[in-house]
Amino acid sequence: MAAASEAQFVTFSLGNEIFAVPVEVVREILDHEEPFRIPHGPEYLLGLRDVRGQGVPVIDLRLRLGMSATEKTPHTRILVLDVPVDGRVLALGLVADRVYEVVPFQREQIETAPDIGIRWRSDYIAGVVRRDGGFVVIIDLARLFSDSGSALAGVTPAQQVA
């Protein structure tokens, strides 16, 4: 019965923010290596990486979420995910500043995205969990990478100050 009331998530950071994805979509976690660049791809598509004989697109999740680009450190990792989207499974590599742990969240702990009274691009948020005096944002990967979803349509990265 405990298994039905909780779900397991892999937690990781982008800057100072903590995010999570369901453990069942995580195939493996790899050290960061520069991917093979693909010309004319979206800015957040860093390129392809060979993962056990399969070309896997590597996504800078920070750019996809409208943040500044990832700066590689010794802690930078790539989460290789198998994401079910629109009846198919996408193999994606998401760049994370740091990967922390697998953690169980009780289903009743997971809150919906906050309502701030206006429309904002929160459809990629599957839920929010209060933890250690802060919050963990659970990402809805299917919405984030779906053609039909409106998640983050038109999001541009933060402007760099010259």
Side-chain angles (χ1 to χ4, degrees), residues 17-162:
E17 310 304 322
I18 306 295
F19 294 87
V21 293
V23 73
E24 60 267 12
V25 302
V26 180
R27 185 190 313 170
E28 56 191 303
I29 300 169
L30 304 173
D31 289 338
H32 186 277
E33 290 178 7
E34 289 302 319
F36 174 80
R37 299 286 298 169
I38 299 176
H40 307 295
E43 185 179 14
Y44 60 82
L45 175 61
L46 299 179
L48 289 177
R49 171 144 181 207
D50 184 343
V51 178
R52 304 188 193 287
Q54 178 185 15
V56 174
V58 177
I59 306 293
D60 187 333
L61 189 55
R62 290 174 61 102
L63 288 175
R64 183 68 178 117
L65 296 176
M67 301 168 78
S68 61
T70 298
E71 293 186 26
K72 184 180 169 190
T73 72
H75 303 290
T76 304
R77 298 289 180 267
I78 297 178
L79 289 98
V80 180
L81 310 175
D82 291 320
V83 182
V85 176
D86 298 331
R88 65 190 198 280
V89 176
L90 294 178
L92 297 171
L94 295 186
V95 178
D97 293 340
R98 181 185 293 249
V99 175
Y100 292 107
E101 62 186 334
V102 174
V103 63
F105 291 140
Q106 299 297 318
R107 297 215 188 267
E108 60 269 8
Q109 285 180 282
I110 301 173
E111 304 171 20
T112 58
D115 182 358
I116 61 171
I118 59 171
R119 275 190 70 161
W120 64 297
R121 300 195 192 289
S122 64
D123 25 350
Y124 73 91
I125 299 175
V128 178
V129 177
R130 295 171 194 266
R131 184 166 183 241
D132 299 330
F135 293 93
V136 176
V137 175
I138 300 171
I139 297 176
D140 185 330
L141 294 163
R143 285 201 177 187
L144 189 60
F145 294 106
S146 170
D147 287 338
S148 60
S150 63
L152 304 175
V155 167
T156 55
Q159 296 296 316
Q160 299 292 329
V161 177

